[in-house]
Amino acid sequence: MTTYSPDFELNHPAALIAALPAVLGFVPENSLVLVSLGDGELGAVMRVDLSDDLIDRVDHLVEIAAAAAPEAMIAVIVDADGAHCPQCNSEYRQLCAVLSKALAQNDIELWAAHVVDRVAVGGRWHCVDGCGSGGAVDDPSASPLAAAAVLQGRRLYPRRADLQAVIAPDDLSRSAAVVAAASQHAARRAVAHREDPLACGRRDVEDAMAAAARVARGQSVSDAEVAALGCALRDVQVRDTLYALAVSEKAGEAETLWALLARTLPAPWRVEALVLLAFSAYVRGDGPLAGVSLEAALRCEPDHRMAGMLDTALQSGLRPEQIRELAITGYRMAKRLGVRLPPRRASGRCAG
């Protein structure tokens, strides 16, 4: 789920549907998209895959959506094969009836429900209840939200799989080499940490910032360096300090490093890189990247505290500015370690 305020009329379905790629970060396919409304503006937006058991999961979806306390919701069903199929539309009317009832129990109105074959130029939409309204989808690339996304430095992806590729492991043979290097480094680091925990943590944070600067310049990091960073991120004081980089002037450099580590480190080391990436993306308003990163992190470690907290905040539509203060803990930790972090800044650039 992600949250944005648009610059268009919510009662114009063609424009609303065209804005979905900019909100979600990718072009939705085979999806149910729930758009929450409050004070006449677009609020939290949630997407789930269409599936045979979707109607049985409506109560859970509404529970998540209701956490943001919207006044109303709009449902958009994206189905290239079923949008113009009478039998499918009957099933979608049933789905929306169940959805409307569940929302009403939470004092939320289902304001409208639309079916669209594809969210692209040439796509066609119509209302689920057969009211007769319908037409062509507006050009998604011309949506005001698409322009806003570009100005914010967010990248829009053709499909969700392309977004997921930002964090997908990209070299399994290298991951195996990193595992071997990490085992060796962990033993050495344990000795150094016992001798002087503060010096060990300070060195790890400084090494991470130096690696981020090199990666941002297009330089590579060795397997040994990746392994060392993975081990360092498992240290709570190091990890909590590095969260501060998300609100610093070097946020873009750090986020690029977290994305690289998420693709390179194997479990369990990649979990912390994924959560750092998620936090950085969330802080700068990139809910889609934060969402896929948290999803991957929670698959690796379902009980991860920070991942769970961020996921709950994201699902509830909590705005980025409301979580940025979490990074202040990192600056306090840095002071304790004797590390000088970059000055604070409101946002960073996209991950690469």
Side-chain angles (χ1 to χ4, degrees):
M1 183 183 288
T2 189
T3 307
Y4 295 96
S5 296
D7 183 22
F8 56 81
E9 295 295 329
L10 288 168
N11 60 359
H12 185 187
L16 173 66
I17 294 169
L20 294 180
V23 177
L24 295 171
F26 57 91
V27 179
E29 300 174 326
N30 194 45
S31 302
L32 168 64
V33 182
L34 298 178
V35 180
S36 63
L37 311 175
D39 297 323
E41 292 188 341
L42 185 71
V45 178
M46 180 169 58
R47 187 214 69 89
V48 295
D49 290 336
L50 296 179
S51 61
D52 293 338
D53 67 340
L54 181 56
I55 199 167
D56 298 322
R57 296 189 288 123
V58 164
D59 287 342
H60 176 63
L61 297 177
V62 169
E63 180 182 353
I64 295 173
E71 298 171 3
M73 300 201 78
I74 296 174
V76 178
I77 298 169
V78 186
D79 186 355
D81 296 326
H84 307 297
C85 163
Q87 180 179 348
C88 296
N89 276 273
S90 176
E91 294 172 356
Y92 291 145
R93 282 194 292 272
Q94 181 183 4
L95 170 64
C96 290
V98 173
L99 176 63
S100 178
K101 182 177 179 180
L103 288 171
Q105 291 173 346
N106 290 271
D107 297 319
I108 304 169
E109 178 187 3
L110 181 60
W111 192 27
H114 312 299
V115 180
V116 61
D117 50 11
R118 55 195 180 96
V119 184
V121 174
R124 304 289 300 182
W125 69 273
H126 62 267
C127 58
V128 171
D129 62 7
C131 68
S133 296
V137 176
D138 287 0
D139 183 357
S141 66
S143 167
L145 280 186
V150 172
L151 290 174
Q152 292 167 3
R154 290 197 297 116
R155 181 178 175 185
L156 305 183
Y157 296 85
R159 52 186 59 83
R160 191 166 188 264
D162 298 311
L163 172 60
Q164 292 172 317
V166 174
I167 60 166
D170 57 6
D171 190 340
L172 296 181
S173 62
R174 187 182 187 189
S175 293
V178 168
V179 169
S183 299
Q184 297 174 4
H185 181 81
R188 292 194 299 271
R189 188 185 183 280
V191 173
H193 191 271
R194 283 195 299 269
E195 292 176 351
D196 192 337
L198 292 180
C200 182
R202 180 168 58 251
R203 185 166 52 250
D204 287 338
V205 173
E206 291 172 345
D207 287 348
M209 291 192 294
R214 293 201 309 276
V215 170
R217 292 194 298 267
Q219 300 175 12
S220 62
V221 289
S222 68
D223 292 346
E225 289 175 303
V226 170
L229 289 167
C231 291
L233 296 185
R234 300 294 284 181
D235 185 318
V236 174
Q237 67 177 352
V238 173
R239 179 199 65 198
D240 288 354
T241 301
L242 292 172
Y243 279 120
L245 296 179
V247 299
S248 78
E249 292 181 351
K250 301 297 183 180
E253 291 184 1
E255 187 172 324
T256 300
L257 177 63
W258 308 147
L260 172 66
L261 294 179
R263 294 191 298 269
T264 308
L265 286 167
W269 295 281
R270 77 184 295 248
V271 172
E272 301 303 342
L274 285 165
V275 182
L276 282 162
L277 175 59
F279 182 70
S280 181
Y282 196 160
V283 161
R284 64 177 174 80
D286 193 340
L289 180 57
V292 297
S293 300
L294 291 170
E295 182 182 356
L298 290 169
R299 278 201 306 269
C300 292
E301 193 173 322
D303 296 326
H304 193 286
R305 185 175 179 181
M306 185 65 163
M309 182 181 67
L310 289 175
D311 187 58
T312 298
L314 189 65
Q315 296 282 7
S316 301
L318 201 66
R319 294 183 178 275
E321 56 269 22
Q322 295 175 281
I323 70 156
R324 286 180 184 140
E325 292 306 308
L326 293 174
I328 300 306
T329 299
Y331 278 93
R332 288 198 294 265
M333 292 293 297
K335 186 175 181 180
R336 178 185 171 198
L337 291 175
V339 177
R340 181 183 292 275
L341 295 181
R344 290 185 64 187
R345 183 180 172 181
S347 63
R349 66 174 179 80
C350 291

